[in-house]
């Protein structure tokens, strides 16, 4: 047992002595991790009945230093733990408790779990790893089974693919001038059709070179096949020499060779499967009955086939998948792959809305597009803490200067930053483009300018001159608003040519902590009613009177834990209040499920994050000229039945609203109304759009 905590980016936990789909997938992902500069560990659990020796491909990784090896009794931490061959983990008797520390654990199932064992297995995993386990699967039918069993799952399957980038198109066999058709058969049982006639009809050894990775069929037809054992060649190496992969099992085997199938699909190698596997594997393969295999192969491998140059990059795809699991912290990226930069320029708002939206997009940019931030906001340290390059131009607000005095040197500093970073695109998030900014970007013909513009502008404001500033931009992206039905502002009338995306959120649903896990991290009692108060930083308006009234009414309720969010960019220290716990956390959306209800401002980010987590809310609104139409947004939520709207100048209804929210039945109904909105996350849509303009 070690006395210090080893730290890795990713730790895979499983029985690494086995020749299983899970082990082979972990090996390929570890190779990709190494190329990305991510530290990877393998924690080996010797399960009952398994071989005493470690899998040969795992040994290669250990020998070349791509992964570190750990025993169950070693204390180790990781940003993400991935469990493979889950049933083997659960069937392993440990001499000492496992000592893996991570707040994100994903259990990947390669085979279906029986209903009667599903709940028990989930409980056992949570006993070992804590209340942070999320399930996924490598096939759609297994994932559906996990969901039907009531387990918390990822949004989609965990795709399998290998670390070969683009599979080279093989040349025909020089001696026989035949193309190569392969299949992967982990074991004889269920992976071959029922009889020899079917095998001979599907795999024509006279017309093609037929290669098998794994076990040959128990029929004389196997004499015409080239058979390679799984320990002699990996699935990725095997498929790199194929013209097509043909897999026709007898029914639905318990475990499919998804690594081989996925690697072929990612690299434009045709995959032929029986139609009954369509609901298992999904889009990509060619589904055809046995009788149609010969004609399909002749068409796909004939002289008129449509060859394509694949743009799929396994490292990029795997990295983007990992980004969503790293809780806002970006992993290393290789600078050699960088081709373009995007400069993110958030406006200097009172809160974190503009910064939050751009961070949401930056985290989802593809690997060949590098985001850099130049900010007027005091959130520069927060941006850097999220792993991004960030510079700050001191705002005239903080310098105590008027625009006429400050804009010339602010313009010079921005022009200098653009010259140094040479971005392919410049993205401004704000309500009113600054004159010093448009003076700079309008002169740069080599930079595509994008305005990320949220809606719900105040209808009582004259924004005609602001709308006309569209002429300085090549594109406008608008994240949709749940309340856009009641949007009466100028931006709603100016949607011609605007690219609409789903509401932009920093975190996806699977990244949100459960109620218990969030309360533990925030230091709240696991039982009882907990309320979040988040009114903003108060940098441009005094919140003390409103906050005091809210605290006073909440303190009158029995057994309520009150948490007050003190934003990271507040210029004022948190004021201690008896019975109120001041918390600092970013992003707060990660912890929202800890709370039974919230008292909040109705800015774009707070509003949509509370809806995303299904938190019943009292929106307390003070309308000022700087804000969007938060009252309309809050009243729309009230109409939908998941929130209450209150003007902070007349808070007489506040005690009544709080009393109502103390009723669990009322909260349950309001949560249901919020969750049925099922809002998506448009951050990836915006990122893809921006990346295309930057390239």
């Amino acid at each position: 047992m070690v006395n210090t905590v080893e730290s890795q980016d990713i730790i895979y936990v499983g029985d690494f002595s086995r020749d299983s789909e899970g082990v082979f997938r972990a090996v390929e992902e570890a190779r990709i991790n190494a190329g990305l500069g991510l530290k990877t560990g393998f924690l080996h659990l010797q399960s009952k009945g398994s071989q005493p020796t470690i899998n040969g491909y795992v040994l290669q990784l250990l020998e070349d230093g791509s992964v570190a090896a750990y025993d169950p009794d070693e204390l180790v931490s990781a940003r993400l733990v991935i469990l493979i061959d889950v049933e083997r983990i659960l069937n392993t008797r440990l001499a000492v408790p496992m000592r893996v520390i991570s707040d994100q654990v994903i259990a990947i199932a390669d085979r279906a779990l029986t209903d009667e064992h599903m709940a028990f297995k989930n409980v056992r995993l949570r006993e070992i790893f804590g209340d942070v386990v999320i399930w996924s699967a490598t096939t759609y039918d297994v994932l559906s089974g996990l969901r039907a069993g009531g387990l918390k799952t990822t949004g989609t399957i965990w795709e399998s693919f290998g670390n070969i980038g683009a599979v080279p198109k093989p040349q025909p066999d020089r001696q026989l001038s035949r193309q190569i058709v392969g299949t992967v058969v982990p074991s004889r049982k269920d992976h071959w059709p029922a009889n020899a006639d079917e095998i001979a009809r599907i795999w024509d050894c006279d017309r093609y070179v037929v290669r098998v990775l794994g076990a040959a069929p128990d029929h004389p037809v196997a004499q015409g096949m080239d058979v390679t054992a799984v320990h002699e060649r990996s699935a990725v190496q095997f498929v790199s020499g194929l013209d097509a992969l043909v897999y026709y099992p007898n029914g639905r085997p318990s475990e499919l060779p998804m690594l081989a199938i996925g690697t072929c699909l990612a690299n434009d190698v045709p995959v032929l499967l029986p139609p009954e596997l369509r609901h298992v594997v999904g889009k990509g393969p060619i589904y055809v009955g046995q009788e149609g295999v010969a004609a399909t192969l002749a068409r796909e491998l004939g002289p008129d086939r449509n060859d394509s140059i694949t743009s799929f990059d396994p490292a990029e795809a795997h990295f983007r998948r990992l980004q969503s699991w790293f809780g806002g912290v970006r992993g290393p990226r290789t600078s050699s792959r960088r081709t373009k930069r995007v400069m993110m320029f958030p406006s200097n708002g009172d809160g974190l809305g503009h910064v939050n939206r751009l961070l949401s997009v930056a985290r989802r940019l593809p690997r060949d597009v590098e985001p850099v931030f130049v900010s007027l906001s005091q959130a520069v340290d927060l941006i850097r803490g999220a792993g991004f390059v960030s510079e700050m131009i001191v705002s005239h607000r903080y310098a105590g200067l008027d625009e006429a005095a400050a804009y010339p040197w602010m313009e010079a500093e921005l022009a200098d930053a653009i010259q140094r970073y040479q971005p392919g695109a410049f993205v401004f998030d704000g309500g009113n483009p600054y004159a010093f900014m448009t003076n700079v970007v309008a002169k740069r013909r080599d930079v595509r300018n994008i305005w990320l513009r949220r809606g719900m502008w105040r209808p009582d404001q004259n924004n005609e001159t602001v709308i006309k500033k569209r002429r300085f931009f090549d594109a406008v992206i608008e994240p949709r608003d749940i309340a856009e039905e009641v949007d009466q502002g100028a931006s709603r009338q100016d949607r011609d040519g605007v690219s609409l995306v789903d509401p932009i959120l920093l975190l996806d649903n699977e990244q949100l902590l459960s109620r218990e896990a969030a309360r533990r991290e925030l230091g709240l009692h696991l039982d009882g009613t907990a309320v979040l108060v988040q009114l903003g930083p108060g940098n441009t308006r005094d919140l003390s009177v409103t906050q005091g009234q809210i605290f006073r009414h909440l303190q009158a309720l029995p057994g309520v834990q009150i948490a007050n969010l003190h934003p990271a960019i507040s210029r004022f220290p948190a004021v201690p209040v008896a019975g109120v716990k001041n918390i600092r956390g970013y992003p707060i959306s990660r912890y929202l499920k800890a709370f039974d209800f919230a008292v909040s401002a109705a800015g774009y980010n707070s509003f949509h994050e509370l809806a995303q987590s299904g938190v019943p809310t009292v929106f307390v609104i003070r309308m000022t000229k700087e804000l969007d139409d938060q009252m309309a947004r809050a009243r729309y939520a009230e109409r939908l039945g998941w929130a209450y709207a209150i003007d902070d100048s007349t808070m007489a209804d506040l005690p009544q609203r709080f009393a109502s929210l103390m009723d669990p039945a009322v909260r349950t109904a309001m949560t249901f109304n919020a969750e049925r909105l099922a809002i998506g996350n448009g951050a990836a849509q915006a990122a893809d759009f921006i990346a295309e303009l930057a390239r």
Side-chain angles (χ1 to χ4, degrees), residues 493-508:
Q493 316 306 320
D494 182 55
R495 280 190 168 177
D496 288 346
V498 173
S499 298
L500 299 176
V501 299
D502 288 336
I504 291 180
L505 299 163
L506 184 66
L507 301 182
D508 296 315

Side-chain angles (χ1 to χ4, degrees), residues 619-684:
F619 287 114
V620 177
I621 311 301
R622 177 187 295 184
M623 295 302 294
T624 65
K625 64 179 183 179
E626 296 91 357
L627 297 180
D628 51 356
D629 198 354
Q630 295 191 11
M631 182 56 77
R633 189 181 280 135
R635 285 175 176 160
Y636 186 76
E638 186 171 51
R639 197 174 95 193
L640 295 181
W642 69 271
Y644 298 120
I646 290 181
D647 189 318
D648 82 339
S649 64
T650 57
M651 297 177 64
D653 291 339
L654 199 60
Q656 179 185 348
R657 299 308 190 197
F658 287 168
S660 175
L661 286 165
M662 290 299 290
D663 184 343
V666 171
R667 295 200 302 266
T668 298
M670 295 176 78
T671 295
F672 173 79
N673 290 332
E675 290 179 341
R676 69 178 180 173
L677 294 172
I679 62 174
N681 189 352

Side-chain angles (χ1 to χ4, degrees), residues 325-642:
W325 290 93
F326 282 167
V329 181
R330 298 164 68 248
R333 297 186 181 184
T334 53
S335 58
S336 62
R337 294 193 52 80
R338 290 300 191 190
T339 58
K340 287 294 182 181
R341 286 194 176 106
V342 170
M343 181 169 287
M344 303 293 198
F345 191 77
S347 180
N348 183 34
D350 182 42
L352 286 170
H354 304 298
V355 171
N356 205 72
R357 259 189 306 277
L358 288 181
L359 282 175
S360 305
V361 174
R363 295 176 67 238
R364 293 166 175 85
L365 286 170
R367 293 186 59 251
D368 65 330
V369 179
E370 179 183 21
V372 295
F373 282 75
V374 174
S375 175
L376 301 180
S377 170
Q378 295 181 94
V380 61
D381 288 337
L382 185 149
I383 298 169
R384 290 170 180 163
F388 296 96
V389 173
S390 183
E391 295 187 11
M392 183 177 181
I393 298 175
V394 178
S395 169
H396 60 287
R397 284 188 183 181
Y398 303 135
L401 300 174
D402 60 23
E403 294 179 0
Y407 273 14
W409 57 262
M410 295 173 73
E411 180 178 329
E413 289 198 25
L414 179 60
D416 175 68
I418 292 177
Q419 182 63 32
R420 283 185 286 110
Y421 286 109
Q422 292 293 313
F426 178 92
V427 185
F428 169 70
D429 189 300
N432 187 359
Y434 302 101
F436 79 85
M437 181 193 77
T438 57
N439 286 344
V440 175
V441 299
K443 299 173 185 175
R444 296 294 301 246
R445 304 264 178 146
D446 56 332
V447 181
R448 305 297 295 275
N449 301 315
I450 303 159
W451 186 1
L452 185 56
R453 186 187 76 184
R454 58 112 178 91
M456 297 295 290
W457 292 16
R458 296 270 297 278
D460 57 339
Q461 293 178 338
N462 182 4
N463 284 308
E464 183 179 351
T465 58
V466 179
I467 289 295
K468 287 181 178 179
K469 293 183 180 181
R470 273 190 65 177
R471 69 185 186 276
F472 297 114
F473 297 90
D474 298 290
V476 178
I477 302 173
E478 182 174 321
R480 305 192 83 109
D481 197 299
I482 292 174
E484 66 182 8
E485 181 182 327
V486 295
D487 186 353
Q488 302 295 318
S491 65
R492 182 62 185 265
Q493 316 306 320
D494 182 55
R495 280 190 168 177
D496 288 346
V498 173
S499 298
L500 299 176
V501 299
D502 288 336
I504 291 180
L505 299 163
L506 184 66
L507 301 182
D508 296 315
N509 291 337
E510 57 266 25
Q511 295 175 274
L512 308 178
L513 292 180
S514 67
R515 173 186 173 92
E516 182 178 340
R519 287 197 174 197
R520 288 186 188 278
E521 288 206 17
L522 294 175
L524 299 174
H525 298 305
L526 299 184
D527 299 322
T529 304
V531 181
L532 173 68
V533 178
Q534 56 166 15
L535 300 183
N539 290 336
T540 60
R541 54 198 174 115
D542 185 3
L543 299 173
S544 59
V545 175
T546 301
Q547 233 172 26
Q549 288 181 273
I550 292 169
F551 292 158
R552 195 159 52 249
H553 290 305
L554 287 174
Q555 287 167 335
L557 301 174
V560 170
Q561 300 179 79
I562 306 169
N564 176 52
L565 177 65
H566 186 66
I569 65 168
S570 177
R571 287 185 280 167
F572 307 102
V575 178
V577 178
V580 177
K581 181 182 181 67
N582 285 313
I583 59 174
R584 294 175 70 95
Y586 183 82
I588 191 60
S589 57
R590 181 168 164 80
Y591 308 96
L592 287 178
K593 292 192 177 184
F595 301 101
D596 297 283
F597 65 93
V599 186
S600 177
Y604 183 92
N605 291 283
S606 297
F607 183 82
H608 288 88
E609 288 168 355
L610 288 162
Q612 178 190 30
S613 287
V615 182
T617 303
V618 178
F619 287 114
V620 177
I621 311 301
R622 177 187 295 184
M623 295 302 294
T624 65
K625 64 179 183 179
E626 296 91 357
L627 297 180
D628 51 356
D629 198 354
Q630 295 191 11
M631 182 56 77
R633 189 181 280 135
R635 285 175 176 160
Y636 186 76
E638 186 171 51
R639 197 174 95 193
L640 295 181
W642 69 271

